Amino acid sequence: MKAIFVSLAVLMSLSLASSITPARADADDAAWIKKCVSDNKREGATAEVVAAWCSCMNNKMSATETLSITAWEKTHPTEVAACDKESGWK
């Protein structure tokens, strides 16, 4: 019985640790964000706001997503609204 509790405690701590560990951007993320910034540079926001918005959107996307941020945003209004607020856009 004690082994079960220890196992559960270990699993819970690993789960918690993985949810706390910040995601690291890789070269693929940088390329997606760069494309997003380019796609949105004439939308009326400052470069800093556009970069923050694109980064936010990239972070909300699955690592296996194949759509660009610009295409993905069209089908994810909840995430767009959250990133608008977080980045200060609009």
Side-chain angles (χ1 to χ4, degrees):
M1 186 70 141
K2 186 175 182 181
I4 293 173
F5 287 120
V6 170
S7 297
L8 286 174
V10 169
L11 287 174
M12 289 176 62
S13 67
L14 290 174
S15 174
L16 181 60
S18 67
S19 66
I20 295 173
T21 305
R24 282 191 228 138
D26 61 15
D28 190 48
D29 290 334
W32 284 116
I33 293 169
K34 181 178 179 181
K35 172 73 171 125
C36 175
V37 168
S38 176
D39 289 347
N40 290 286
K41 65 184 175 188
R42 292 193 174 94
E43 294 296 322
T46 66
E48 293 80 13
V49 168
V50 173
W53 186 87
C54 290
S55 180
C56 177
M57 289 296 287
N58 184 70
N59 290 339
K60 293 195 178 296
M61 295 170 70
S62 158
T64 59
E65 182 59 63
T66 58
L67 293 175
S68 69
I69 295 169
T70 303
W72 190 80
E73 74 177 284
K74 292 174 175 62
T75 59
H76 292 81
T78 302
E79 291 83 351
V80 169
C83 289
D84 285 351
K85 185 176 180 178
E86 184 177 315
S87 67
W89 195 317
K90 299 177 185 180

